[in-house]
Amino acid sequence: MPHIQKLSPHVVNQIAAGEVIERPASVVKELLENSVDSGATRIDVALEQGGLELIRISDNGSGIASDEMLLAVTSHATSKLRDADDLFRVATLGFRGEALASIAAVSHLTLRSCSESEQAGALLEVNGGSLSPVTPFGCPKGTVVEVRNLFFNTPVRRRFMRTSQTEFGHASEAFARVALAYPDIHFTLEHQGRRLYDLPPTDRWRDRIVTFFGDELRENLIWIDNSDETLRLSGYAASPSINRGNNRMQYVFLNGRYIRDRSLQHALGEAYRGLIMTGRYPVAFLRLDMQPELVDVNVHPTKLEVRFQDGGRVYSQLLGTLRSHFLSTDLTVRVQPAGDSGGPAQGSQTGQGTSVESHQAAMRAWARGESESAGNQPSSARQASLDLGRAMGGTPAFRPFDTDRTFGTERDSRSGASPESAGELSRSDAAAASPTGDSHVPPPYRSAGVQLHNRYLVAEHDQGMVVIDQHALHERILYEQLRQTVLEGRLESQRLLVPEPVTLAAPELAAALEARETLARLGIDVQPFGGDTVLVSSYPAMLAKLRPEEVLRQVVEQLVSGGKMPDRRDLLDELLHMIACKAAIKAGDRLSPEEVNALLEQRHHCQDTHHCPHGRPAALVFTREELDRRFRRT
Ligand code: ADP
Ligand code: MG
């Protein structure tokens, strides 16, 4: 074993650079943060070859005093912290005193700066960590940092770099994150001598967002603003029709710092649950402002992740605020103006039609039987609605097909939900029920509804004409009522006089037994019966039209699909979707005029009847104006 020795500062800096400086975009991020911290009101960024050849960032901020220039590029030297306590109330973007030293260790760096208190500025050059003397240099107040030939002395890292176009993509994302966080600062971005962004200061955040992400967003951003004693949450959530195949368009800024936080991403997903399709992600631009003491930003060298003192509270405030806004907003899909080729399909708005279509296809496959069985099972619809009416015990319900039940069964009112297991569901529901209280009330209809093609309902209201997908609407109504019922622990189940044995494959058997508790909350009782067989002794009364074995097989299919066990909250929700889908009237079911109106009437009792639980639209509105325009009645 060789002797232990202390590493030279140069090696230390190279190691630090390895952590923080991954690619040109990391340099752009660090230098922009320094410029913001310096109090600049204007920051210009110029890049060559995606930043691989040159990154130049100029600002008009406080500047660096000439006798501190050397310190600025020394590691662990910062003007932003004084003592250890400061580390727990960081109010600047930087605080580690490492960025300039790290960048200088792996590039040719030139620093020109003139501080507020000095007449003339100074110049310092560092080549791969070796310093030349600081010399006087005439320049305006502020700082210019130039970084050339990044990773010239770390060939392995250099080889990892992608094309300059890819690197430029990352660098401009880093630029956007800072420029979005500080709309009051004037930013510009140039690449290869071409100016790509010129962003004058604005007090309309929306304008800056739209500059980056296009006009599609302008009319689709919902402003939210909610404060409590410790946290202000404000910003824009995009309407559900705008969504993406990944979560990259979820911008969260904590005290002006762009962060990625899994729990907040989860809260966003929960808030939009049922409003956008499974596998799609909401779009949002949110600012969280809180006292710096309440959050630890010293978690990761790149400062992208933070640790909240009370993460649960931030989570519920985000979720609660969004849910209550959605409840008070009309999210009905509007038919696009004439001339737009596509209808209101989400694919046409996001430009990602194929993946949306494949999701839709997958969903249709899952909900199979919907169309095949259509029309030949009027009694199933009757049964479903009947059961719903009973399950709701008194709440006005869609029960147009009231017939007597003819089963040799006894009723068994469940109270399966233990308070702690209700937790995962009630979190979002408690939030949903929270403050504003002014739920969006759909406009009343002026005429009776009409059924078309045994699948669509058409009605007239003040603003125009609404076309409703009967299955999607009923499914949504049942889903919400079911969820409420399960929450209150009184989902009605049907106990079988003779339990039914069902033989399952080994993974299915394991999944079914593992999920027993969740299944019990849905009124499904399974017990091991030896070997690969389980006994079903009760199942949801709403699904009485199906055989117990069929119900269990459907459920098990949910449990094992995707290969991994979804978390309990997701699982319960998936099962509720499935039950609602199975129990709802189908496309193809003929309804009497009374039944049509009874179903339309139900809309008013629901939180969101604009989308089915999978996020497909349940209703389309053709506004009067749009109809007038299409018929050229000006
Ligand atoms: P940190 O930002 O964590 O303090 P850096 O290595 O990024 O560490 O910068 C070191 C110091 O150099 C900063 O604390 C700051 O005093 C000074 N500095 C860097 N960039 C600028 C700038 N653009 N304007 C003014 N001062 C700067
Ligand atoms: Mg810094």
Side-chain angles (χ1 to χ4, degrees):
M1 192 70 116
H3 296 295
I4 299 175
Q5 56 176 16
K6 222 168 146 36
L7 295 174
S8 74
H10 177 61
V11 178
V12 170
N13 286 342
Q14 281 218 353
I15 293 174
E19 273 180 11
V20 192
I21 308 302
E22 194 193 342
R23 58 189 347 148
S26 339
V27 176
V28 171
K29 168 184 182 285
E30 292 294 337
L31 298 182
L32 281 175
E33 290 188 352
N34 282 346
S35 294
V36 169
D37 283 344
S38 78
T41 57
R42 171 159 186 150
I43 303 174
D44 299 287
V45 182
L47 305 175
E48 298 286 341
Q49 301 299 335
L52 290 165
E53 200 170 295
L54 169 75
I55 298 164
R56 184 195 306 114
I57 299 199
S58 326
D59 69 54
N60 63 355
S62 64
I64 304 171
S66 41
D67 59 351
E68 291 184 4
M69 294 279 276
L70 275 176
L71 269 178
V73 297
T74 306
S75 68
H76 310 303
T78 178
S79 56
K80 302 170 193 175
L81 293 185
R82 288 283 165 256
D83 53 38
D85 287 348
D86 288 350
L87 200 48
F88 300 100
R89 45 169 183 261
V90 175
T92 47
L93 294 174
F95 58 89
R96 295 166 50 88
E98 245 176 1
L100 286 183
S102 301
I103 297 166
V106 292
S107 70
H108 296 130
L109 179 141
T110 312
L111 184 60
R112 298 185 187 89
S113 194
C114 179
S115 78
E116 276 150 340
S117 52
E118 288 178 312
Q119 288 301 314
L123 167 76
L124 169 62
E125 285 178 322
V126 195
N127 284 332
S130 68
L131 298 151
S132 56
V134 176
T135 54
F137 186 85
C139 59
K141 198 200 105 183
T143 304
V144 181
V145 184
E146 257 178 33
V147 176
R148 290 181 187 275
N149 307 324
L150 187 64
F151 302 133
F152 79 97
N153 55 352
T154 52
V156 179
R157 189 51 75 93
R158 178 90 192 182
R159 244 179 277 129
F160 272 107
M161 292 304 105
R162 300 306 173 88
T163 63
S164 58
Q165 208 43 49
T166 304
E167 293 306 330
F168 175 71
H170 289 286
S172 62
E173 171 66 18
F175 172 82
R177 289 173 182 179
V178 179
L180 282 170
Y182 295 91
D184 51 343
I185 298 179
H186 189 159
F187 287 91
T188 68
L189 174 65
E190 266 180 30
H191 189 216
Q192 309 288 74
R194 273 188 54 214
R195 173 152 303 180
L196 301 171
Y197 288 107
D198 185 354
L199 310 169
T202 174
D203 49 13
R204 288 168 53 94
W205 198 27
R206 181 192 290 257
D207 290 346
R208 190 157 283 189
I209 294 171
V210 168
T211 312
F212 280 108
F213 301 104
D215 252 352
E216 175 203 33
L217 275 179
R218 188 179 291 281
E219 303 306 322
N220 285 296
L221 293 175
I222 304 165
W223 173 251
I224 58 166
D225 196 346
N226 177 293
S227 310
D228 67 13
E229 322 80 74
T230 56
L231 172 65
R232 175 168 180 212
L233 168 67
S234 60
Y236 293 101
S239 76
S241 62
I242 307 287
N243 54 67
R244 292 289 180 270
N246 58 54
N247 60 14
R248 263 176 271 148
M249 251 173 92
Q250 297 177 356
Y251 287 85
V252 178
F253 302 97
L254 169 73
N255 295 341
R257 180 192 310 280
Y258 171 87
I259 59 163
R260 301 292 292 167
D261 185 277
R262 291 175 107 234
S263 134
L264 296 182
Q265 287 164 357
H266 190 264
L268 269 173
E270 287 296 293
Y272 282 79
R273 188 190 277 275
L275 297 176
I276 60 180
M277 284 194 284
T278 316
R280 305 290 297 173
Y281 294 82
V283 168
F285 303 87
L286 301 171
R287 319 181 71 103
L288 306 177
D289 293 288
M290 56 168 47
Q291 290 166 358
E293 290 85 348
L294 298 179
V295 58
D296 185 359
V297 289
N298 186 27
V299 176
H300 193 268
T302 61
K303 303 163 286 182
L304 206 56
E305 286 162 33
V306 299
R307 202 173 289 132
F308 295 103
Q309 210 175 73
D310 189 352
R313 184 162 177 169
V314 181
Y315 180 102
S316 14
Q317 189 167 344
L318 175 56
L319 181 54
T321 306
L322 287 173
R323 284 310 294 197
S324 53
H325 269 268
F326 290 159
L327 290 182
S328 56
T329 308
D330 182 1
L331 299 171
T332 313
V333 178
R334 310 252 153 205
V335 172
Q336 296 290 294
D340 278 16
S341 52
Q346 299 185 353
S348 66
Q349 297 181 359
T350 59
Q352 304 201 21
T354 45
S355 85
V356 171
E357 278 148 25
S358 68
H359 278 295
Q360 286 175 330
M363 249 155 42
R364 278 193 295 268
W366 170 74
R368 72 179 180 282
E370 172 176 336
S371 46
E372 292 91 306
S373 66
N376 8 346
Q377 289 189 322
S379 63
S380 65
R382 276 148 227 251
Q383 199 60 61
S385 311
L386 163 73
D387 292 332
L388 166 68
R390 294 215 171 120
M392 294 312 296
T395 313
F398 175 52
R399 43 190 319 175
F401 311 97
D402 225 338
T403 53
D404 280 333
R405 300 174 58 92
T406 50
F407 287 91
T409 58
E410 60 183 69
R411 296 239 159 250
D412 167 15
S413 204
R414 296 227 141 236
S415 51
S418 62
E420 65 276 23
S421 62
E424 338 90 81
L425 244 196
S426 59
R427 186 166 52 181
S428 62
D429 289 270
S434 78
T436 65
D438 53 345
S439 296
H440 173 73
V441 180
Y445 293 131
R446 291 212 205 141
S447 63
V450 178
Q451 188 188 33
L452 304 179
H453 301 287
N454 289 348
R455 63 177 67 199
Y456 296 117
L457 312 181
V458 180
E460 176 198 358
H461 63 47
D462 275 359
Q463 292 151 23
M465 176 180 99
V466 59
V467 181
I468 290 167
D469 177 329
Q470 67 183 36
H471 170 74
L473 174 62
H474 194 205
E475 186 183 6
R476 164 58 82 172
I477 292 169
L478 289 179
Y479 166 75
E480 289 207 11
Q481 292 175 337
L482 262 172
R483 199 163 68 144
Q484 197 54 39
T485 314
V486 168
L487 262 182
E488 289 160 13
R490 52 182 182 86
L491 183 66
E492 202 171 7
S493 77
Q494 177 161 299
R495 186 155 287 285
L496 299 169
L497 288 182
V498 182
E500 188 161 319
V502 182
T503 303
L504 297 172
E508 294 173 339
L509 182 82
L513 293 178
E514 191 175 336
R516 258 174 91 183
E517 206 187 306
T518 306
L519 298 184
R521 294 177 60 193
L522 295 169
I524 306 173
D525 266 330
V526 290
Q527 294 145 28
F529 190 56
D532 46 7
T533 305
V534 290
L535 280 186
V536 184
S537 51
S538 72
Y539 71 116
M542 284 185 73
L543 294 181
K545 63 176 176 176
L546 300 176
R547 289 185 32 238
E549 170 170 359
E550 247 179 288
V551 174
L552 185 68
R553 292 212 180 275
Q554 290 284 347
V555 164
V556 166
E557 197 176 306
Q558 288 293 305
L559 293 181
V560 295
S561 68
K564 67 171 175 46
M565 196 76 173
D567 72 39
R568 276 205 301 172
R569 165 77 174 85
D570 287 342
L571 175 60
L572 191 55
D573 212 60
E574 284 302 311
L575 296 177
L576 291 177
H577 284 177
M578 187 213 80
I579 295 175
C581 182
K582 293 283 157 205
I585 52 166
K586 307 288 183 252
D589 284 344
R590 169 122 215 104
L591 306 182
S592 72
E594 296 74 43
E595 290 166 349
V596 168
N597 288 318
L599 180 53
L600 293 179
E601 189 47 38
Q602 289 272 309
R603 269 168 83 247
H604 302 275
H605 303 298
C606 271
Q607 292 182 346
D608 176 0
T609 50
H610 317 301
H611 300 82
C612 83
H614 306 291
R616 273 179 296 171
L620 299 179
V621 166
F622 294 78
T623 61
R624 250 277 312 282
E625 298 84 74
E626 182 53 26
L627 290 170
D628 286 350
R629 239 161 48 76
R630 291 202 185 213
F631 287 106
R632 312 230 187 286
R633 290 181 169 275
T634 37

